[in-house]
Amino acid sequence: GCVKAGLRGALIVLEGCDRSGKSTQCSKLVERLVQEGRQVLLMRFPDRTTPIGQMIDSYLQQTVELDDHVVHLLFSSNRWEAMRKMTELLQSGTTIIVDRYAYSGVAYSAAKGLSVDWCRQPDVGLLKPDKVLYITVSPEKAAERGQFGTERYEKLDFQQKVNNMFLYLKDPSYWQTVSGEGSIDVVHAEIYKLATQTIKESEHLPLLKLWT
Ligand code: FDM
Ligand code: MG
Protein backbone atom coordinates (compact mmCIF):
# COMPACT_ATOMS: atom_id res chain seq x y z
CA GLY A 1 0.00 0.00 0.00
CA CYS A 2 0.91 3.66 -0.20
CA VAL A 3 -0.04 4.80 3.30
CA LYS A 4 2.53 7.37 4.32
CA ALA A 5 2.73 8.25 7.99
CA GLY A 6 1.78 11.81 8.84
CA LEU A 7 0.47 12.83 5.44
CA ARG A 8 -3.15 13.82 5.14
CA GLY A 9 -5.58 12.70 2.49
CA ALA A 10 -7.14 15.06 -0.05
CA LEU A 11 -10.74 16.22 -0.21
CA ILE A 12 -11.84 16.10 -3.84
CA VAL A 13 -15.38 17.03 -4.90
CA LEU A 14 -17.07 16.25 -8.20
CA GLU A 15 -19.85 18.66 -9.11
CA GLY A 16 -22.13 19.10 -12.07
CA CYS A 17 -25.70 18.92 -13.23
CA ASP A 18 -27.81 15.78 -13.41
CA ARG A 19 -26.53 13.28 -16.00
CA SER A 20 -23.11 14.91 -16.22
CA GLY A 21 -21.65 11.51 -15.30
CA LYS A 22 -20.51 12.50 -11.79
CA SER A 23 -21.55 9.33 -10.00
CA THR A 24 -20.07 7.04 -12.67
CA GLN A 25 -16.81 8.98 -12.58
CA CYS A 26 -16.65 9.03 -8.76
CA SER A 27 -16.98 5.23 -8.67
CA LYS A 28 -14.41 4.68 -11.40
CA LEU A 29 -11.94 7.02 -9.74
CA VAL A 30 -12.29 5.41 -6.32
CA GLU A 31 -12.01 1.92 -7.83
CA ARG A 32 -8.74 2.86 -9.54
CA LEU A 33 -7.26 4.51 -6.46
CA VAL A 34 -8.20 1.48 -4.32
CA GLN A 35 -6.54 -0.83 -6.88
CA GLU A 36 -3.37 1.20 -6.50
CA GLY A 37 -3.45 0.48 -2.77
CA ARG A 38 -4.32 3.99 -1.68
CA GLN A 39 -6.47 4.81 1.34
CA VAL A 40 -9.59 6.30 -0.24
CA LEU A 41 -13.29 6.63 0.53
CA LEU A 42 -16.29 7.54 -1.65
CA MET A 43 -18.95 9.75 -0.09
CA ARG A 44 -22.00 11.43 -1.56
CA PHE A 45 -24.31 14.24 -0.57
CA PRO A 46 -27.10 14.05 0.16
CA ASP A 47 -26.27 11.02 2.33
CA ARG A 48 -29.75 9.55 2.34
CA THR A 49 -28.94 6.96 5.04
CA THR A 50 -29.10 9.27 8.07
CA PRO A 51 -32.38 10.49 9.66
CA ILE A 52 -31.83 13.93 8.08
CA GLY A 53 -30.95 12.23 4.79
CA GLN A 54 -34.23 10.32 4.90
CA MET A 55 -36.17 13.58 5.19
CA ILE A 56 -34.25 14.91 2.18
CA ASP A 57 -34.98 11.70 0.28
CA SER A 58 -38.73 12.05 0.90
CA TYR A 59 -38.54 15.64 -0.33
CA LEU A 60 -36.64 14.66 -3.49
CA GLN A 61 -39.07 11.83 -4.19
CA GLN A 62 -41.86 14.37 -3.81
CA THR A 63 -43.68 12.44 -1.10
CA VAL A 64 -43.44 15.48 1.20
CA GLU A 65 -43.40 19.24 0.63
CA LEU A 66 -40.99 21.42 2.61
CA ASP A 67 -40.32 25.14 2.61
CA ASP A 68 -37.31 25.96 0.39
CA HIS A 69 -35.38 27.38 3.35
CA VAL A 70 -36.07 24.30 5.46
CA VAL A 71 -34.81 21.85 2.87
CA HIS A 72 -31.76 24.01 2.22
CA LEU A 73 -30.87 23.82 5.90
CA LEU A 74 -31.45 20.05 5.91
CA PHE A 75 -28.98 19.60 3.03
CA SER A 76 -26.45 21.70 4.94
CA SER A 77 -27.07 19.79 8.21
CA ASN A 78 -26.53 16.57 6.29
CA ARG A 79 -23.01 17.80 5.44
CA TRP A 80 -22.32 19.06 8.96
CA GLU A 81 -23.21 15.69 10.46
CA ALA A 82 -20.37 14.14 8.38
CA MET A 83 -17.66 16.71 9.26
CA ARG A 84 -16.14 15.02 12.30
CA LYS A 85 -15.75 11.71 10.48
CA MET A 86 -14.38 13.41 7.35
CA THR A 87 -11.86 15.45 9.33
CA GLU A 88 -10.58 12.37 11.16
CA LEU A 89 -10.28 10.37 7.94
CA LEU A 90 -8.43 13.13 6.09
CA GLN A 91 -6.05 13.64 9.01
CA SER A 92 -5.34 9.91 9.15
CA GLY A 93 -4.34 9.90 5.48
CA THR A 94 -7.55 8.86 3.73
CA THR A 95 -8.46 10.69 0.54
CA ILE A 96 -12.20 11.36 0.21
CA ILE A 97 -13.91 11.60 -3.17
CA VAL A 98 -17.25 13.36 -2.78
CA ASP A 99 -20.20 13.22 -5.18
CA ARG A 100 -21.77 16.72 -4.76
CA TYR A 101 -21.13 19.16 -1.91
CA ALA A 102 -22.05 22.67 -0.75
CA TYR A 103 -21.90 24.02 -4.32
CA SER A 104 -24.89 21.85 -5.25
CA GLY A 105 -26.45 23.15 -2.06
CA VAL A 106 -26.19 26.77 -3.15
CA ALA A 107 -26.77 26.18 -6.87
CA TYR A 108 -30.04 24.26 -6.51
CA SER A 109 -31.52 26.49 -3.80
CA ALA A 110 -30.48 29.73 -5.51
CA ALA A 111 -31.92 28.43 -8.79
CA LYS A 112 -35.25 28.27 -6.92
CA GLY A 113 -34.89 31.96 -6.07
CA LEU A 114 -33.24 32.06 -2.63
CA SER A 115 -30.44 34.58 -2.32
CA VAL A 116 -26.94 33.24 -2.97
CA ASP A 117 -25.64 35.04 0.08
CA TRP A 118 -28.26 33.49 2.36
CA CYS A 119 -27.64 30.07 0.83
CA ARG A 120 -23.91 30.13 1.53
CA GLN A 121 -24.16 30.95 5.23
CA PRO A 122 -25.09 27.56 6.74
CA ASP A 123 -22.13 25.93 4.95
CA VAL A 124 -19.56 28.49 6.13
CA GLY A 125 -16.96 26.57 8.13
CA LEU A 126 -17.37 23.20 6.42
CA LEU A 127 -14.15 21.57 5.22
CA LYS A 128 -12.94 23.28 2.07
CA PRO A 129 -12.21 20.86 -0.77
CA ASP A 130 -8.66 20.79 -2.10
CA LYS A 131 -10.15 20.57 -5.57
CA VAL A 132 -13.56 20.82 -7.18
CA LEU A 133 -13.83 19.07 -10.54
CA TYR A 134 -16.78 20.57 -12.39
CA ILE A 135 -18.03 18.20 -15.05
CA THR A 136 -19.83 19.86 -17.95
CA VAL A 137 -22.09 18.42 -20.62
CA SER A 138 -24.14 20.39 -23.13
CA PRO A 139 -27.92 20.15 -22.76
CA GLU A 140 -27.99 18.28 -26.10
CA LYS A 141 -25.50 15.67 -24.92
CA ALA A 142 -27.31 15.32 -21.61
CA ALA A 143 -30.57 14.78 -23.49
CA GLU A 144 -28.97 11.94 -25.51
CA ARG A 145 -28.34 10.14 -22.23
CA GLY A 146 -32.03 9.43 -21.82
CA GLN A 147 -35.02 10.81 -20.02
CA PHE A 148 -34.83 12.56 -16.70
CA GLY A 149 -36.08 10.60 -13.72
CA THR A 150 -39.05 11.58 -11.64
CA GLU A 151 -37.25 13.22 -8.73
CA ARG A 152 -37.65 16.87 -7.92
CA TYR A 153 -35.34 19.15 -9.98
CA GLU A 154 -35.04 16.69 -12.89
CA LYS A 155 -36.34 19.13 -15.51
CA LEU A 156 -34.43 20.71 -18.38
CA ASP A 157 -35.25 24.38 -17.71
CA PHE A 158 -34.40 24.02 -14.02
CA GLN A 159 -31.11 22.22 -14.82
CA GLN A 160 -30.14 25.16 -17.04
CA LYS A 161 -30.68 27.55 -14.14
CA VAL A 162 -28.60 25.29 -11.91
CA ASN A 163 -25.82 25.20 -14.49
CA ASN A 164 -25.77 29.01 -14.62
CA MET A 165 -25.50 29.11 -10.82
CA PHE A 166 -22.56 26.70 -10.87
CA LEU A 167 -20.80 28.94 -13.40
CA TYR A 168 -21.43 31.93 -11.15
CA LEU A 169 -20.12 30.09 -8.07
CA LYS A 170 -17.00 28.58 -9.59
CA ASP A 171 -13.78 29.76 -8.03
CA PRO A 172 -10.84 29.36 -10.42
CA SER A 173 -8.37 29.18 -7.51
CA TYR A 174 -9.44 25.59 -6.76
CA TRP A 175 -12.00 24.58 -9.40
CA GLN A 176 -11.23 22.86 -12.63
CA THR A 177 -13.71 22.27 -15.42
CA VAL A 178 -13.66 18.84 -17.02
CA SER A 179 -15.57 18.10 -20.20
CA GLY A 180 -17.93 15.23 -19.53
CA GLU A 181 -18.68 14.72 -23.21
CA GLY A 182 -16.00 12.17 -24.10
CA SER A 183 -16.29 8.42 -23.51
CA ILE A 184 -16.35 7.22 -19.90
CA ASP A 185 -12.69 6.17 -20.22
CA VAL A 186 -11.54 9.48 -21.71
CA VAL A 187 -13.27 11.50 -19.00
CA HIS A 188 -11.91 9.12 -16.37
CA ALA A 189 -8.32 9.57 -17.60
CA GLU A 190 -8.60 13.35 -17.19
CA ILE A 191 -10.20 13.12 -13.74
CA TYR A 192 -7.64 10.54 -12.58
CA LYS A 193 -4.79 12.81 -13.66
CA LEU A 194 -6.22 15.83 -11.82
CA ALA A 195 -7.12 13.80 -8.72
CA THR A 196 -3.68 12.23 -8.33
CA GLN A 197 -2.03 15.64 -8.79
CA THR A 198 -4.30 17.03 -6.09
CA ILE A 199 -3.51 14.18 -3.69
CA LYS A 200 0.21 14.87 -4.13
CA GLU A 201 -0.13 18.65 -3.77
CA SER A 202 -2.36 18.49 -0.69
CA GLU A 203 -0.24 16.10 1.43
CA HIS A 204 1.56 18.87 3.30
CA LEU A 205 -1.07 21.63 3.11
CA PRO A 206 -3.38 22.53 6.01
CA LEU A 207 -7.07 21.70 5.85
CA LEU A 208 -9.03 24.90 5.23
CA LYS A 209 -12.62 25.96 5.89
CA LEU A 210 -15.22 26.89 3.33
CA TRP A 211 -16.19 30.46 2.52
CA THR A 212 -14.33 32.17 5.36
N1 FDM B 1 -29.10 18.78 -4.02
C1 FDM B 1 -28.00 18.15 -3.60
C2 FDM B 1 -29.54 19.96 -3.44
O1 FDM B 1 -30.56 20.52 -3.82
N2 FDM B 1 -28.82 20.50 -2.41
C3 FDM B 1 -27.68 19.91 -1.94
O2 FDM B 1 -27.04 20.41 -0.99
C4 FDM B 1 -27.24 18.69 -2.55
C5 FDM B 1 -26.01 18.00 -2.06
O3 FDM B 1 -30.39 16.91 -4.61
F1 FDM B 1 -31.08 17.24 -7.63
C6 FDM B 1 -29.93 18.17 -5.08
C7 FDM B 1 -29.22 17.84 -6.35
C8 FDM B 1 -30.04 16.71 -6.92
C9 FDM B 1 -30.62 16.04 -5.70
O4 FDM B 1 -28.79 14.49 -5.73
C10 FDM B 1 -30.12 14.66 -5.38
P1 FDM B 1 -28.29 13.09 -6.35
O5 FDM B 1 -26.84 13.33 -6.61
O6 FDM B 1 -29.09 12.89 -7.61
O7 FDM B 1 -28.56 12.03 -5.30
MG1 MG C 1 -30.10 12.58 -9.22
Side-chain angles (χ1 to χ4, degrees):
C2 312
V3 181
K4 295 186 216 144
L7 299 180
R8 75 165 173 91
L11 180 57
I12 299 171
V13 169
L14 270 67
E15 280 284 12
C17 288
D18 279 279
R19 290 185 304 170
S20 58
K22 280 185 315 306
S23 303
T24 304
Q25 291 298 335
C26 281
S27 305
K28 264 189 96 68
L29 176 61
V30 168
E31 202 177 296
R32 172 110 171 247
L33 297 173
V34 165
Q35 272 170 11
E36 293 177 345
R38 297 177 193 254
Q39 248 179 271
V40 59
L41 180 75
L42 172 60
M43 293 185 75
R44 69 177 309 148
F45 292 109
D47 172 1
R48 304 188 193 210
T49 67
T50 71
I52 291 169
Q54 285 162 24
M55 293 170 72
I56 294 170
D57 184 56
S58 304
Y59 173 79
L60 290 171
Q61 292 194 31
Q62 319 205 64
T63 58
V64 300
E65 293 301 318
L66 292 170
D67 176 82
D68 291 343
H69 300 82
V70 171
V71 76
H72 182 79
L73 295 172
L74 289 177
F75 275 112
S76 176
S77 303
N78 187 233
R79 285 182 282 278
W80 276 108
E81 62 184 345
M83 280 309 115
R84 183 200 295 266
K85 175 187 168 191
M86 288 173 70
T87 305
E88 287 171 1
L89 284 166
L90 290 166
Q91 282 168 348
S92 71
T94 299
T95 284
I96 309 178
I97 308 300
V98 190
D99 186 347
R100 294 192 189 276
Y101 199 56
Y103 317 97
S104 279
V106 177
Y108 282 76
S109 290
K112 290 194 282 191
L114 300 186
S115 96
V116 171
D117 197 44
W118 187 89
C119 289
R120 277 186 208 259
Q121 295 315 308
D123 286 320
V124 168
L126 288 179
L127 286 165
K128 182 186 178 190
D130 295 294
K131 188 71 77 185
V132 176
L133 300 176
Y134 182 59
I135 309 184
T136 58
V137 286
S138 64
E140 295 76 30
K141 193 79 185 177
E144 280 173 25
R145 295 182 177 174
Q147 294 298 303
F148 279 117
T150 55
E151 283 202 338
R152 208 180 286 269
Y153 305 143
E154 294 185 324
K155 302 215 169 46
L156 186 60
D157 56 340
F158 188 73
Q159 293 291 318
Q160 278 160 350
K161 283 187 193 158
V162 172
N163 187 50
N164 290 337
M165 284 310 309
F166 274 127
L167 296 177
Y168 174 77
L169 292 171
K170 95 177 175 203
D171 177 338
S173 69
Y174 68 110
W175 285 53
Q176 242 157 312
T177 300
V178 175
S179 167
E181 300 207 353
S183 69
I184 289 177
D185 288 339
V186 165
V187 177
H188 167 69
E190 177 69 6
I191 289 178
Y192 172 79
K193 187 186 78 188
L194 294 169
T196 48
Q197 275 171 10
T198 301
I199 293 169
K200 185 110 204 60
E201 288 164 6
S202 309
E203 281 175 343
H204 297 284
L205 298 177
L207 278 168
L208 300 178
K209 304 246 162 116
L210 205 53
W211 293 326
T212 48

